[in-house]
Amino acid sequence: MPLIEQSEYNSPSILNRNRHISTIYAALIKKFEVPEYTREKQELNDGDFINIDYIIDNPKKAVILCHGLEGDSRRTYNNSCATYFKQKGFSVFAWNNRTCGGEMNRLPRLYHHGAVDDLDEVVQFVLRKGFEDIYLIGYSMGGVQLLNYLGWTKIDERIKAAVSISVPTHIATSAEVLKQGFNRVYLKNFTIDIKKKLKYKAAQFPDFINRDQIDKITSFDEVDQYFTAPLHGFASKDDYYHRVSPEFSLKDITTPVLIINSLDDPFLGERCYPRSIAKDSAYVYLETPKYGGHCAFPLRDSTYSYAEKRAFEFFESCKQC
């Protein structure tokens, strides 16, 4: 039943109905001031660490923000969302995956779509501070991590609801879409950044990472086959794509979660709109606006986006569940 047949989102202009214009504007042109965070280094059980940025304004209610691929806690979409929820009376926690946020991690391990153990470290960090109500928001890859976390983990009752925005629920089809047409521009930018990190890691750990293979990267196929999969315990790229795709864990979710995926998202493949799962689920809500691009959803006469406003509305509605 939670399939939302008609989204209330209306694109503010004809220009914003172009998937690439709205996506590029949100990622590269739109600016939003970074909140005045406190940063804390969370030590992990395997000897590594992650950095968590936070603002505690309300000791009872908090939102955790999960960034996208090659992003960090201070990307524009996170800054906007953090400020919006701070104004709505939430404390905000924005975490950085390993290698992200301006400080390289210690171990060969990087990050990936199924890194729910690191997300759980963040959740436990927030729980220890005594919050009564905790909500989660994930963008793109962060939305994948969030959905997998809800499907794979025993969820604390203080986690009330979550929202995943522009989320590739089927990783393989998303990876294929990024090889097509103008989407190759996004792919190239991702691979440039990833190659830089891999070269740094190869210098740190030459026995774990083959430096010669890095220059052969042209798509996620090479990244995930030769680096992501072996470094994180997957048998192959295909094994990785299958095991971390939320399409296969959505059925196990028992926490209310809203997925907002625009139909014009240039990052999403045909299997990234899990309509049948949402129809049969009591917990997984799916909203598919006609426009919105990737992590964009601009609004007329507002510095905020539809996605963060819709997330707040969803959280409020879950209080009545």
Side-chain angles (χ1 to χ4, degrees):
M1 185 170 66
L3 177 61
I4 300 169
E5 298 284 359
Q6 187 64 44
S7 173
E8 294 183 2
Y9 177 65
N10 290 312
S11 180
S13 72
I14 292 176
L15 283 177
N16 293 125
R17 292 173 190 171
N18 181 296
R19 65 182 65 193
H20 300 302
I21 289 176
S22 58
T23 298
I24 292 170
Y25 176 81
L28 299 178
I29 301 172
K30 181 181 178 181
K31 304 297 180 186
F32 210 103
E33 186 175 353
V34 179
E36 294 184 7
Y37 287 123
T38 296
R39 171 164 288 193
E40 191 165 333
K41 183 171 290 184
Q42 173 68 13
E43 295 292 334
L44 305 176
N45 290 331
D46 63 2
D48 216 336
F49 69 90
I50 51 176
N51 284 318
I52 304 172
D53 293 338
Y54 62 90
I55 302 168
I56 297 180
D57 279 354
N58 184 335
K60 295 185 178 181
K61 184 169 59 175
V63 61
I64 298 172
L65 306 183
C66 309
H67 67 78
L69 187 74
E70 283 306 290
D72 57 43
S73 62
R74 303 182 181 209
R75 282 294 169 97
T76 297
Y77 53 76
N78 256 17
N79 297 339
S80 175
C81 192
T83 302
Y84 183 80
F85 274 86
K86 182 176 182 295
Q87 291 176 353
K88 292 294 185 181
F90 287 71
S91 292
V92 178
F93 293 78
W95 71 290
N96 295 276
N97 277 273
R98 304 187 197 209
T99 79
C100 301
E103 186 177 7
M104 190 59 69
N105 64 319
R106 301 180 187 126
L107 302 182
R109 176 176 169 175
L110 308 174
Y111 65 87
H112 59 86
H113 290 77
V116 300
D117 52 344
D118 286 352
L119 175 52
D120 186 58
E121 290 278 0
V122 179
V123 172
Q124 298 307 317
F125 177 89
V126 177
L127 287 171
R128 287 193 295 271
K129 294 189 179 296
F131 290 95
E132 298 174 5
D133 298 322
I134 298 173
Y135 301 86
L136 293 90
I137 298 176
Y139 290 88
S140 195
M141 181 200 72
V144 174
Q145 292 174 327
L146 186 161
L147 292 174
N148 284 330
Y149 179 71
L150 295 179
W152 295 351
T153 311
K154 181 176 172 57
I155 301 301
D156 190 283
E157 63 182 8
R158 287 168 287 182
I159 297 178
K160 303 301 183 182
V163 173
S164 283
I165 300 161
S166 300
V167 55
T169 56
H170 190 264
I171 306 300
T173 54
S174 178
E176 286 302 310
V177 163
L178 283 168
K179 299 176 187 177
Q180 301 170 11
F182 186 84
N183 294 348
R184 291 193 294 266
V185 174
Y186 306 123
L187 178 60
K188 182 177 180 181
N189 287 335
F190 279 133
T191 56
I192 287 172
D193 292 341
I194 291 169
K195 286 163 83 169
K196 289 178 182 176
K197 287 185 177 179
L198 287 172
K199 288 176 181 177
Y200 186 97
K201 284 294 179 184
Q204 279 185 303
F205 305 102
D207 293 337
F208 285 91
I209 298 176
N210 186 332
R211 175 65 174 78
D212 294 336
Q213 288 179 328
I214 298 173
D215 291 328
K216 299 176 183 177
I217 291 173
T218 60
S219 72
F220 288 131
D221 289 349
E222 294 83 15
V223 173
D224 295 328
Q225 180 67 28
Y226 298 114
F227 302 102
T228 308
L231 283 172
H232 302 100
F234 299 96
S236 65
K237 164 181 67 72
D238 294 333
D239 179 50
Y240 167 63
Y241 288 164
H242 180 81
R243 287 169 59 186
V244 304
S245 289
E247 177 182 291
F248 307 110
S249 58
L250 291 176
K251 67 181 186 309
D252 298 317
I253 291 176
T254 57
T255 302
V257 59
L258 170 64
I259 299 171
I260 308 174
N261 281 356
S262 72
L263 296 175
D264 71 342
D265 191 320
F267 288 38
L268 301 186
E270 59 183 11
R271 287 178 66 173
C272 294
Y273 302 92
R275 295 178 180 86
S276 61
I277 295 174
K279 283 182 179 179
D280 295 336
S281 175
Y283 300 98
V284 178
Y285 295 71
L286 175 65
E287 182 174 344
T288 56
K290 186 175 182 180
Y291 304 107
H294 188 73
C295 296
F297 301 99
L299 289 171
R300 182 178 286 110
D301 301 323
S302 177
T303 55
Y304 298 111
S305 77
Y306 173 77
E308 53 223 18
K309 291 189 174 186
R310 183 69 179 91
F312 175 73
E313 291 173 0
F314 182 71
F315 295 158
E316 289 294 292
S317 71
C318 288
K319 292 180 180 179
Q320 313 304 321
C321 296

